[in-house]
Amino acid sequence: MSPTPAAAPSRYTFGGDEHVFVEISESMSLPAFFKGMAICTALRERALPGVSEICPANASFQVRFDPDVIAPDDMVRVMQEIEQSVGDAPGDLATRIIEVPVLYNDPWTHETLMRFRERHQDPSSTDLEYAARINHFSSVADFIEAHSSAPWFVSMVGFVAGLPFLFQMVERERQLEVPKYLSPRTDTPKLTLGYGGCFSCIYSVRGAGGYQMFGVTPAPIFDPAQKLPYLKDMMVFFKPGDIVKWKPIDRAEYDRILAEVEAGTYTLPMRPVTFSLPEFLAAPDSYNQKLLQVLHGD
């Protein structure tokens, strides 16, 4: 993956009287994500009077401000100054790498997807079978290996409380892509591992959804009661910039982890890490292996 050339200036638009929306790029990329994160971090550090919310997204972000405290044009001017100071290729990000267990091809998402085949592109196959075929894999097992072998970036959290969107950390030509359902389902099991476009997600709660369903994780990622050790600091677990490695598990391991979750003792394996965008862009596969060595304590 070669370094991305200098990007065009971001597009600034107002959303009503209290919001500025900034589009870094029309397409998702790690350089666009990093640039948005760097601007958001610098703006947060300034503690600008009148700014109440800073919400990063995949390749954009939105800021809420009080126009009685800071004039809209002044708000944009400050953000543009920060963008110029950040430049096009921010370097390092202090974050964490997390291993998330996944039971692929589980019975609960299978039962659900079979109820909604009339809304799917291929009613004769499962979501995983369809995803494997259109991405030119010879088997579901090969597709799961491609999905779970490389780490993923959490690029934004939202849609419903605690739901992370994740971008695969591989060269663009190796990105897995699967369209959403033709029309959304009215049901998706809680903690479903979903896929739409080039993004993975975890449905933090049960509800409607249109992403393809690949499996489930036994590990809660949103809990207002904050019963588990890794949710003590905040009821929403994931943050933009987190790095995630999916770990395929079998039903016995799923049941074992679920028992620990119910006992309040389970914790997700994770370690702090400093991610270098230039190093990753220079050699994605070897850099990913270094990240996984950090995760496993090697």
Side-chain angles (χ1 to χ4, degrees):
M1 181 182 291
S2 59
T4 301
S10 302
R11 184 169 65 183
Y12 290 73
T13 55
F14 289 110
D17 296 330
E18 298 182 344
H19 297 85
V20 178
F21 175 72
V22 184
E23 186 180 57
I24 305 295
S25 171
E26 291 184 354
S27 61
M28 172 62 190
S29 68
L30 286 180
F33 167 77
F34 261 71
K35 182 176 178 180
M37 283 287 290
I39 296 171
C40 289
T41 299
L43 182 60
R44 193 173 293 111
E45 290 173 350
R46 287 202 185 190
L48 205 64
V51 173
S52 57
E53 290 183 87
I54 303 170
C55 302
N58 297 321
S60 62
F61 63 95
Q62 183 166 274
V63 175
R64 184 178 183 183
F65 66 99
D66 184 344
D68 291 329
V69 177
I70 180 170
D73 289 344
D74 291 339
M75 183 73 250
V76 170
R77 190 176 301 113
V78 170
M79 295 163 69
Q80 290 174 329
E81 290 173 359
I82 292 174
E83 179 178 0
Q84 288 183 336
S85 68
V86 165
D88 291 322
D92 295 345
L93 176 69
T95 184
R96 55 187 180 171
I97 184 167
I98 306 149
E99 187 173 73
V100 177
V102 177
L103 176 61
Y104 288 90
N105 241 340
D106 67 284
W108 307 284
T109 60
H110 181 79
E111 186 276 332
T112 302
L113 67 86
M114 293 306 294
R115 287 193 279 119
F116 293 97
R117 293 329 284 164
E118 77 283 357
R119 305 187 185 207
H120 196 272
Q121 291 85 350
D122 184 0
S124 66
S125 67
T126 68
D127 292 7
L128 271 169
E129 289 168 345
Y130 171 70
R133 187 177 71 254
I134 67 171
N135 282 278
H136 311 295
F137 288 93
S138 59
S139 68
V140 166
D142 288 343
F143 178 81
I144 291 173
E145 170 64 20
H147 186 269
S148 62
S149 59
W152 296 70
F153 245 106
V154 176
S155 57
M156 64 175 286
V157 179
F159 180 67
V160 296
L163 185 152
F165 292 86
L166 303 104
F167 184 75
Q168 193 176 27
M169 296 167 56
V170 296
E171 296 93 336
R172 186 169 294 275
E173 59 269 19
R174 290 169 55 198
Q175 288 276 331
L176 302 173
E177 294 192 23
V178 190
K180 297 187 290 185
Y181 274 44
L182 297 174
S183 59
R185 301 176 302 275
T186 56
D187 189 24
T188 307
K190 179 182 178 181
L191 298 177
T192 289
L193 179 65
Y195 209 100
C198 63
F199 290 98
S200 260
C201 79
I202 302 174
Y203 285 81
S204 53
V205 296
R206 182 178 182 180
Y211 277 25
Q212 308 284 336
M213 296 182 289
F214 292 170
V216 292
T217 176
I221 59 171
F222 168 67
D223 180 18
Q226 297 179 264
K227 295 179 180 179
L228 292 167
Y230 61 90
L231 289 165
K232 292 297 184 184
D233 293 336
M234 191 174 182
M235 68 178 70
V236 170
F237 175 66
F238 284 112
K239 300 179 289 187
D242 281 342
I243 300 172
V244 172
K245 171 64 171 64
W246 309 119
K247 179 188 178 184
I249 59 173
D250 59 18
R251 179 61 187 271
E253 179 71 359
Y254 177 91
D255 290 341
R256 185 192 67 77
I257 293 174
L258 194 61
E260 292 185 19
V261 169
E262 292 172 349
T265 59
Y266 180 71
T267 190
L268 281 166
M270 68 185 87
R271 288 181 179 271
V273 67
T274 298
F275 179 82
S276 169
L277 179 61
E279 289 186 36
F280 171 79
L281 292 175
D285 287 343
S286 61
Y287 191 76
N288 283 343
Q289 289 305 309
K290 291 181 181 180
L291 291 174
L292 297 182
Q293 289 171 1
V294 171
L295 175 63
H296 298 131
D298 297 341

